[in-house]
Amino acid sequence: MDLRRYGDVAAFLAAAEPFLVEREAEHNLILGVTSNLRDAPEEFTGAPYLATVLANGRVVAAAMQTPPFNLVLSEIDHPGAVAALADDLIDRDLPGALGPVDHVRAFVDARLARGGSPARLIVSERIFRLTEVRPPAPVPGRVRAAEPADRPLVLAWIDAFMREALEPTDPADVAAMTDRWLARRGRGLHLWEDGAVVSLAGIGSPTPHGVRVGPVYTPPDRRGRGYASALVAGISQSALDAGRTFCFLFTDLANPTSNHIYETIGYRPVRDVDMWRFERPAP
């Protein structure tokens, strides 16, 4: 195994992008985050980890981490790549790891075998891809772009989304996410209005041919009325109309309702991924 680290995102993409684009949906998170890292580096704190693993001169795995976020693993085409990554990352402070179910579990086990901290499964997700929108049943209201004046609502709803879909997040990190979304640099946040704002959806992190939808959030008392379906269908169609070949999104496998909603409007399952959280030593 030949593990190579990269000091800048352009060098990483030059080496890894052909491998990643072969399975663009599976790799939409790595491709999307690296596009943001390339186009808006000031939004990131700390030096990113960017690496490929080669076997016989061919890329067989890629990995990235932008502190303070999780390590993201690609598809892995050679089992030896897991050990190479675990060796290289044993001393790096990783909050967690996300990747294809089998590969990320192998990485977690390999890191533990090398003296790393134990990990627990946080959430099991599914990657979906859309190439054609199937319009949902009409609902009252309209979509509009989020404005700076919407910041208090957006802040509260992103915090609620993180608590419900992932884990409680530091308020300063939620505030920073909110401001990045409202700045509209490489991403956009949209709201569905029906008298009042009733649903939120983001779209951004472009890949060479696609773009990722998320977060998507509707307050509990407004669910079941078709607002999220209409909003996601609308922004997905706009992305396709703008020249994107695909739209991608992640769903929580523990939420069959959202999985059904997205399949109804044309999203199709691609790959299951797991997120693991490493235990932190007691202070």
Side-chain angles (χ1 to χ4, degrees), residues 139-143 191-199 222 225 227:
V139 298
R142 67 181 184 94
V143 61
L191 307 173
W192 191 270
E193 267 189 342
D194 180 19
V197 178
V198 294
S199 192
R222 300 299 180 106
R225 307 183 192 185
Y227 293 132

Side-chain angles (χ1 to χ4, degrees), residues 147-181:
E147 303 289 346
D150 298 306
R151 188 180 187 277
L153 179 143
V154 170
L155 180 69
W157 285 10
I158 288 180
D159 180 65
F161 169 83
M162 297 298 293
R163 291 176 180 276
E164 183 175 318
L166 298 171
E167 287 186 304
T169 303
D170 185 279
D173 292 337
V174 175
M177 289 182 213
T178 299
D179 292 334
R180 286 195 296 269
W181 279 109

Side-chain angles (χ1 to χ4, degrees), residues 70 97-102 104-105 120-128 164-167 249-256 258-259 271-277:
N70 293 327
L98 181 146
V101 172
D102 44 347
V104 72
R105 178 56 188 266
R120 59 188 175 93
L121 180 63
I122 297 298
V123 63
S124 294
E125 297 181 307
R126 179 164 291 160
I127 298 171
F128 283 78
E164 183 175 318
L166 298 171
E167 287 186 304
L249 54 77
F250 288 75
T251 66
D252 183 348
L253 286 175
N255 187 342
S258 66
N259 285 269
R271 185 67 150 113
D272 289 354
V273 297
D274 282 344
M275 181 188 297
W276 290 77
R277 179 75 68 211

